[in-house]
Amino acid sequence: MLAALVVDGYVSTEDARNVRMGARAGRSTVELHPLVLIANAKLPNQREPGRPLSLEGLTEWLAGQAALPYLKIDPMKINVAAVTQVVSHAYAKRHRILPVAATPGEVTFASCEPFDAEWAADLAQMLRRDVHRVVSSPLDINRYLAEFYGVQRSIQLAQDAKAAGYDNSAAILNFEQLVELGKTGEVGADDRHVVHIVDWLLQYAFEQRASDIHLEPRREAGQMRFRIDGVMHKVFELPSPVMTAVTARIKILARMDVAEKRRPQDGRIKTRSAAGREVELRISTMPTAFGEKVVMRIFDPDVVAKDFGQLGFSAEEGGIWRSMVERPHGIVLVTGPTGSGKTTTLYSTLKHLARPELNVCTVEDPIEMVSPELNQMQVQASIDLDFAAGVRTLLRQDPDIIMIGEIRDLETAQMAVQASLTGHLVLSTLHTNDAPSAVTRLLDLGVPHYLIQSTLTGVVAQRLVRTLCPHCKREAAQDPHAWTALTHGWSLPLPEKVFEPVGCLECRNTGFMGRTGVYEMFRLSPRLRGLISAQLDLARLGEAALAEGMQPLRISAATQVAKGLTTVQEVLTVLPPIEHESQS
């Protein structure tokens, strides 16, 4: 293999000699695949100076040598239940092959040894199906051989244990106990196979950058789905009895009442990713026609708390935001629908503001992420500890900065106003489509206009748009009609260079990786405060804000398109229908 790489001009003769001598000297590396040995040496690529020979690049080269297709294995595109039924784990492991696709007429296998093809003819005869071969990384094949067959075996064994009516790891003292456990659905919840499935599920979600895990019971089988970059992806199907056991296991970890299946419950799990990073999950259950639906929202500290540049603020927007939140008192609101990044903006801001000389307190429902710099209180409706009561308590705690999870009613709004009037900075959220509408919302709740005038510092509306994958995006021509529709009424020139999604291994062929915020900054000036009255004309207030420099959400998004971070099509799927403003 080294000789072929030398002939093809990828490796120098001296580098090949050094790798060969190192392989002979190192006994521990005897069983490593040759491609892994060469990749671990990090040899310079003679054809592309400055870039070392990667394992994927070497695997692609090997596929070309064997005149076979190259495949980067994406587990989210493989029907694990189907492919693991084709051949046994022992057979696949012996020949170092992995089934990656299966239909009634053909099966596709990934191999890292493409010149060994005897097994393919034997399998085609045994299976009575056409056998296709592709070439994949040896590390991926080894890893997914263990994962696919391990998880599928755990599912089968858990299903068998459930069907047999016992749990092979929990201590059952007598028949009556078994009957009670069967009624509660706890049979199998502590079964080692179910534990394995749940552990795999969580680690897989962290690895795939999922923000939410959905476990959805159906009549025939339960579905596992991940939300990645705001889009749902189907991951796996579980037999109904195993889904029930997995749900029970998650409820036990979240300290929920396992026996209660008729009412919604909330809980949280603290765990660690494979890299050792602490991750929190917020768990919510809901009764449905076929069982309990579970949603796990993942709060990764590295994702929830970012600096202002990472949030997507431009230099100008970051300056406006700082001018609002670094004041000693006043109310600053963040608005937008659920899942628009309000929590991330607020936590990142609190991390920025929290200093040893300040007392930063929050009242939340629920506490999204526990942070050592903050004093956080959980709303408890069962004991009448709502947002208003929470703020009333915080005001006796000598706070400097107060964060209220959401202003939902007049009493909470009044407490926020009182906190601001007594010299505190108050941060909170509202559900409105744009920033000026927050004033109307406060008036609708019953807050007097003169108190809004004296306490409200500013409002930021925000949305999240997917960002293009930096590994595969390519230059494209911007459709002038789409650009005009996005920037109607604003004299933004058509960008000379924009990009479009392509899809690659890094982004799972979606063309997008990660999300960024787009913002509408509504800072109240003396003139804008004067327009706030009991009979507020929202259109006039919005026009006045535009005249003073406020840019609507779509214009903030247009600047992100011009920077090459996203596309007009992506923006228009996220932003609500827009009434045409006229630039003043």
mmCIF file of all heavy atoms in Angstrom, residues 262-291:
data_model
loop_
_atom_site.group_PDB
_atom_site.id
_atom_site.type_symbol
_atom_site.label_atom_id
_atom_site.label_comp_id
_atom_site.label_asym_id
_atom_site.label_seq_id
_atom_site.Cartn_x
_atom_site.Cartn_y
_atom_site.Cartn_z
ATOM 1 N N ARG A 262 -50.429 9.286 33.645
ATOM 2 C CA ARG A 262 -51.611 9.984 33.135
ATOM 3 C C ARG A 262 -51.425 11.488 33.049
ATOM 4 O O ARG A 262 -52.170 12.162 32.354
ATOM 5 C CB ARG A 262 -52.814 9.691 34.039
ATOM 6 C CG ARG A 262 -53.181 8.220 34.123
ATOM 7 C CD ARG A 262 -54.100 7.972 35.293
ATOM 8 N NE ARG A 262 -53.460 8.356 36.550
ATOM 9 C CZ ARG A 262 -54.076 8.411 37.723
ATOM 10 N NH1 ARG A 262 -55.363 8.123 37.782
ATOM 11 N NH2 ARG A 262 -53.431 8.748 38.813
ATOM 12 N N ARG A 263 -50.449 12.013 33.768
ATOM 13 C CA ARG A 263 -50.262 13.470 33.748
ATOM 14 C C ARG A 263 -48.844 13.803 33.313
ATOM 15 O O ARG A 263 -47.922 13.011 33.499
ATOM 16 C CB ARG A 263 -50.565 14.077 35.125
ATOM 17 C CG ARG A 263 -49.660 13.600 36.235
ATOM 18 C CD ARG A 263 -50.012 14.244 37.572
ATOM 19 N NE ARG A 263 -49.200 13.706 38.665
ATOM 20 C CZ ARG A 263 -47.999 14.147 38.997
ATOM 21 N NH1 ARG A 263 -47.453 15.136 38.310
ATOM 22 N NH2 ARG A 263 -47.337 13.616 40.012
ATOM 23 N N PRO A 264 -48.657 14.991 32.735
ATOM 24 C CA PRO A 264 -47.306 15.413 32.334
ATOM 25 C C PRO A 264 -46.397 15.571 33.545
ATOM 26 O O PRO A 264 -46.850 15.910 34.642
ATOM 27 C CB PRO A 264 -47.549 16.770 31.650
ATOM 28 C CG PRO A 264 -49.004 16.805 31.328
ATOM 29 C CD PRO A 264 -49.680 15.979 32.372
ATOM 30 N N GLN A 265 -45.109 15.321 33.342
ATOM 31 C CA GLN A 265 -44.117 15.504 34.406
ATOM 32 C C GLN A 265 -42.881 16.192 33.839
ATOM 33 O O GLN A 265 -42.632 16.147 32.633
ATOM 34 C CB GLN A 265 -43.703 14.155 35.000
ATOM 35 C CG GLN A 265 -44.803 13.409 35.726
ATOM 36 C CD GLN A 265 -44.257 12.160 36.412
ATOM 37 O OE1 GLN A 265 -43.452 12.225 37.350
ATOM 38 N NE2 GLN A 265 -44.678 11.000 35.938
ATOM 39 N N ASP A 266 -42.120 16.819 34.725
ATOM 40 C CA ASP A 266 -40.864 17.464 34.346
ATOM 41 C C ASP A 266 -39.762 16.963 35.263
ATOM 42 O O ASP A 266 -39.995 16.672 36.439
ATOM 43 C CB ASP A 266 -40.958 18.991 34.466
ATOM 44 C CG ASP A 266 -41.946 19.576 33.459
ATOM 45 O OD1 ASP A 266 -41.763 19.324 32.259
ATOM 46 O OD2 ASP A 266 -42.894 20.260 33.877
ATOM 47 N N GLY A 267 -38.570 16.888 34.726
ATOM 48 C CA GLY A 267 -37.411 16.492 35.525
ATOM 49 C C GLY A 267 -36.140 16.913 34.815
ATOM 50 O O GLY A 267 -36.183 17.574 33.772
ATOM 51 N N ARG A 268 -35.012 16.544 35.381
ATOM 52 C CA ARG A 268 -33.736 16.870 34.729
ATOM 53 C C ARG A 268 -32.715 15.793 35.031
ATOM 54 O O ARG A 268 -32.786 15.099 36.053
ATOM 55 C CB ARG A 268 -33.245 18.258 35.137
ATOM 56 C CG ARG A 268 -33.130 18.508 36.594
ATOM 57 C CD ARG A 268 -32.988 20.001 36.951
ATOM 58 N NE ARG A 268 -32.244 20.782 36.009
ATOM 59 C CZ ARG A 268 -32.756 21.847 35.362
ATOM 60 N NH1 ARG A 268 -33.990 22.212 35.555
ATOM 61 N NH2 ARG A 268 -32.023 22.542 34.521
ATOM 62 N N ILE A 269 -31.780 15.642 34.115
ATOM 63 C CA ILE A 269 -30.700 14.667 34.245
ATOM 64 C C ILE A 269 -29.392 15.405 34.043
ATOM 65 O O ILE A 269 -29.275 16.236 33.133
ATOM 66 C CB ILE A 269 -30.821 13.539 33.190
ATOM 67 C CG1 ILE A 269 -32.099 12.726 33.403
ATOM 68 C CG2 ILE A 269 -29.606 12.620 33.240
ATOM 69 C CD1 ILE A 269 -32.373 11.726 32.287
ATOM 70 N N LYS A 270 -28.420 15.130 34.868
ATOM 71 C CA LYS A 270 -27.076 15.675 34.677
ATOM 72 C C LYS A 270 -26.163 14.513 34.324
ATOM 73 O O LYS A 270 -26.096 13.516 35.057
ATOM 74 C CB LYS A 270 -26.586 16.376 35.942
ATOM 75 C CG LYS A 270 -25.241 17.077 35.767
ATOM 76 C CD LYS A 270 -24.880 17.905 36.990
ATOM 77 C CE LYS A 270 -25.663 19.185 37.025
ATOM 78 N NZ LYS A 270 -25.152 20.133 38.031
ATOM 79 N N THR A 271 -25.470 14.621 33.191
ATOM 80 C CA THR A 271 -24.602 13.538 32.738
ATOM 81 C C THR A 271 -23.354 14.140 32.104
ATOM 82 O O THR A 271 -23.140 15.344 32.181
ATOM 83 C CB THR A 271 -25.352 12.617 31.745
ATOM 84 O OG1 THR A 271 -24.519 11.523 31.381
ATOM 85 C CG2 THR A 271 -25.763 13.371 30.493
ATOM 86 N N ARG A 272 -22.557 13.301 31.483
ATOM 87 C CA ARG A 272 -21.329 13.767 30.830
ATOM 88 C C ARG A 272 -21.266 13.236 29.402
ATOM 89 O O ARG A 272 -21.722 12.132 29.121
ATOM 90 C CB ARG A 272 -20.081 13.319 31.602
ATOM 91 C CG ARG A 272 -19.911 14.031 32.930
ATOM 92 C CD ARG A 272 -18.575 13.724 33.585
ATOM 93 N NE ARG A 272 -18.436 14.442 34.839
ATOM 94 C CZ ARG A 272 -18.008 15.690 34.938
ATOM 95 N NH1 ARG A 272 -17.660 16.353 33.842
ATOM 96 N NH2 ARG A 272 -17.918 16.299 36.107
ATOM 97 N N SER A 273 -20.691 14.032 28.532
ATOM 98 C CA SER A 273 -20.482 13.591 27.160
ATOM 99 C C SER A 273 -19.264 12.674 27.124
ATOM 100 O O SER A 273 -18.547 12.519 28.115
ATOM 101 C CB SER A 273 -20.259 14.794 26.241
ATOM 102 O OG SER A 273 -19.036 15.434 26.561
ATOM 103 N N ALA A 274 -19.014 12.069 25.944
ATOM 104 C CA ALA A 274 -17.864 11.165 25.800
ATOM 105 C C ALA A 274 -16.555 11.906 26.048
ATOM 106 O O ALA A 274 -15.568 11.310 26.493
ATOM 107 C CB ALA A 274 -17.867 10.549 24.405
ATOM 108 N N ALA A 275 -16.549 13.217 25.794
ATOM 109 C CA ALA A 275 -15.334 14.019 26.010
ATOM 110 C C ALA A 275 -15.170 14.432 27.468
ATOM 111 O O ALA A 275 -14.199 15.114 27.815
ATOM 112 C CB ALA A 275 -15.367 15.266 25.123
ATOM 113 N N GLY A 276 -16.119 14.039 28.339
ATOM 114 C CA GLY A 276 -16.019 14.359 29.760
ATOM 115 C C GLY A 276 -16.660 15.670 30.146
ATOM 116 O O GLY A 276 -16.568 16.097 31.297
ATOM 117 N N ARG A 277 -17.348 16.331 29.196
ATOM 118 C CA ARG A 277 -17.976 17.620 29.479
ATOM 119 C C ARG A 277 -19.333 17.394 30.153
ATOM 120 O O ARG A 277 -20.099 16.530 29.734
ATOM 121 C CB ARG A 277 -18.157 18.387 28.168
ATOM 122 C CG ARG A 277 -18.395 19.859 28.325
ATOM 123 C CD ARG A 277 -18.330 20.575 26.992
ATOM 124 N NE ARG A 277 -19.304 20.055 26.046
ATOM 125 C CZ ARG A 277 -19.005 19.396 24.945
ATOM 126 N NH1 ARG A 277 -17.746 19.153 24.638
ATOM 127 N NH2 ARG A 277 -19.941 18.953 24.129
ATOM 128 N N GLU A 278 -19.628 18.158 31.192
ATOM 129 C CA GLU A 278 -20.898 18.013 31.904
ATOM 130 C C GLU A 278 -22.033 18.589 31.064
ATOM 131 O O GLU A 278 -21.940 19.700 30.549
ATOM 132 C CB GLU A 278 -20.828 18.734 33.254
ATOM 133 C CG GLU A 278 -22.004 18.420 34.156
ATOM 134 C CD GLU A 278 -21.844 19.024 35.548
ATOM 135 O OE1 GLU A 278 -22.221 20.201 35.705
ATOM 136 O OE2 GLU A 278 -21.320 18.337 36.444
ATOM 137 N N VAL A 279 -23.100 17.817 30.924
ATOM 138 C CA VAL A 279 -24.252 18.229 30.111
ATOM 139 C C VAL A 279 -25.520 18.035 30.933
ATOM 140 O O VAL A 279 -25.669 17.026 31.623
ATOM 141 C CB VAL A 279 -24.340 17.395 28.816
ATOM 142 C CG1 VAL A 279 -25.541 17.815 27.983
ATOM 143 C CG2 VAL A 279 -23.067 17.534 27.992
ATOM 144 N N GLU A 280 -26.426 19.015 30.864
ATOM 145 C CA GLU A 280 -27.717 18.900 31.536
ATOM 146 C C GLU A 280 -28.808 18.623 30.515
ATOM 147 O O GLU A 280 -28.780 19.161 29.402
ATOM 148 C CB GLU A 280 -28.046 20.192 32.297
ATOM 149 C CG GLU A 280 -27.343 20.293 33.631
ATOM 150 C CD GLU A 280 -27.989 21.330 34.538
ATOM 151 O OE1 GLU A 280 -29.183 21.621 34.345
ATOM 152 O OE2 GLU A 280 -27.310 21.839 35.428
ATOM 153 N N LEU A 281 -29.770 17.798 30.906
ATOM 154 C CA LEU A 281 -30.925 17.535 30.061
ATOM 155 C C LEU A 281 -32.193 17.860 30.840
ATOM 156 O O LEU A 281 -32.334 17.459 32.004
ATOM 157 C CB LEU A 281 -30.977 16.068 29.617
ATOM 158 C CG LEU A 281 -29.811 15.560 28.776
ATOM 159 C CD1 LEU A 281 -28.802 14.835 29.660
ATOM 160 C CD2 LEU A 281 -30.302 14.637 27.682
ATOM 161 N N ARG A 282 -33.086 18.609 30.201
ATOM 162 C CA ARG A 282 -34.383 18.885 30.809
ATOM 163 C C ARG A 282 -35.392 17.931 30.200
ATOM 164 O O ARG A 282 -35.532 17.866 28.977
ATOM 165 C CB ARG A 282 -34.797 20.335 30.562
ATOM 166 C CG ARG A 282 -35.945 20.776 31.453
ATOM 167 C CD ARG A 282 -36.281 22.230 31.205
ATOM 168 N NE ARG A 282 -37.033 22.377 29.964
ATOM 169 C CZ ARG A 282 -37.079 23.478 29.248
ATOM 170 N NH1 ARG A 282 -36.367 24.516 29.603
ATOM 171 N NH2 ARG A 282 -37.805 23.555 28.148
ATOM 172 N N ILE A 283 -36.091 17.174 31.048
ATOM 173 C CA ILE A 283 -36.974 16.108 30.587
ATOM 174 C C ILE A 283 -38.431 16.537 30.753
ATOM 175 O O ILE A 283 -38.806 17.083 31.794
ATOM 176 C CB ILE A 283 -36.741 14.803 31.385
ATOM 177 C CG1 ILE A 283 -35.242 14.552 31.588
ATOM 178 C CG2 ILE A 283 -37.416 13.636 30.706
ATOM 179 C CD1 ILE A 283 -34.454 14.384 30.337
ATOM 180 N N SER A 284 -39.229 16.287 29.731
ATOM 181 C CA SER A 284 -40.666 16.560 29.808
ATOM 182 C C SER A 284 -41.409 15.355 29.258
ATOM 183 O O SER A 284 -41.072 14.846 28.180
ATOM 184 C CB SER A 284 -41.016 17.816 28.997
ATOM 185 O OG SER A 284 -42.426 17.988 28.934
ATOM 186 N N THR A 285 -42.420 14.866 30.000
ATOM 187 C CA THR A 285 -43.233 13.747 29.512
ATOM 188 C C THR A 285 -44.663 14.223 29.278
ATOM 189 O O THR A 285 -45.131 15.163 29.925
ATOM 190 C CB THR A 285 -43.253 12.571 30.506
ATOM 191 O OG1 THR A 285 -43.940 12.977 31.706
ATOM 192 C CG2 THR A 285 -41.850 12.123 30.856
ATOM 193 N N MET A 286 -45.339 13.561 28.341
ATOM 194 C CA MET A 286 -46.709 13.922 28.001
ATOM 195 C C MET A 286 -47.468 12.658 27.627
ATOM 196 O O MET A 286 -46.984 11.863 26.808
ATOM 197 C CB MET A 286 -46.711 14.902 26.817
ATOM 198 C CG MET A 286 -48.085 15.327 26.348
ATOM 199 S SD MET A 286 -48.012 16.363 24.865
ATOM 200 C CE MET A 286 -47.793 15.104 23.602
ATOM 201 N N PRO A 287 -48.643 12.433 28.226
ATOM 202 C CA PRO A 287 -49.420 11.247 27.849
ATOM 203 C C PRO A 287 -50.002 11.402 26.444
ATOM 204 O O PRO A 287 -50.512 12.472 26.088
ATOM 205 C CB PRO A 287 -50.528 11.192 28.908
ATOM 206 C CG PRO A 287 -50.648 12.591 29.422
ATOM 207 C CD PRO A 287 -49.291 13.214 29.294
ATOM 208 N N THR A 288 -49.881 10.342 25.616
ATOM 209 C CA THR A 288 -50.464 10.344 24.272
ATOM 210 C C THR A 288 -51.324 9.087 24.110
ATOM 211 O O THR A 288 -51.431 8.274 25.032
ATOM 212 C CB THR A 288 -49.381 10.361 23.179
ATOM 213 O OG1 THR A 288 -48.705 9.095 23.171
ATOM 214 C CG2 THR A 288 -48.371 11.467 23.416
ATOM 215 N N ALA A 289 -51.908 8.930 22.926
ATOM 216 C CA ALA A 289 -52.809 7.796 22.690
ATOM 217 C C ALA A 289 -52.103 6.459 22.837
ATOM 218 O O ALA A 289 -52.725 5.462 23.202
ATOM 219 C CB ALA A 289 -53.417 7.914 21.292
ATOM 220 N N PHE A 290 -50.781 6.410 22.566
ATOM 221 C CA PHE A 290 -50.072 5.125 22.570
ATOM 222 C C PHE A 290 -49.025 5.030 23.680
ATOM 223 O O PHE A 290 -48.193 4.131 23.657
ATOM 224 C CB PHE A 290 -49.407 4.893 21.213
ATOM 225 C CG PHE A 290 -50.378 4.892 20.066
ATOM 226 C CD1 PHE A 290 -50.363 5.923 19.143
ATOM 227 C CD2 PHE A 290 -51.321 3.895 19.947
ATOM 228 C CE1 PHE A 290 -51.271 5.939 18.087
ATOM 229 C CE2 PHE A 290 -52.236 3.898 18.896
ATOM 230 C CZ PHE A 290 -52.208 4.924 17.972
ATOM 231 N N GLY A 291 -49.046 5.942 24.619
ATOM 232 C CA GLY A 291 -48.079 5.897 25.713
ATOM 233 C C GLY A 291 -47.496 7.270 25.991
ATOM 234 O O GLY A 291 -47.986 8.290 25.475
#
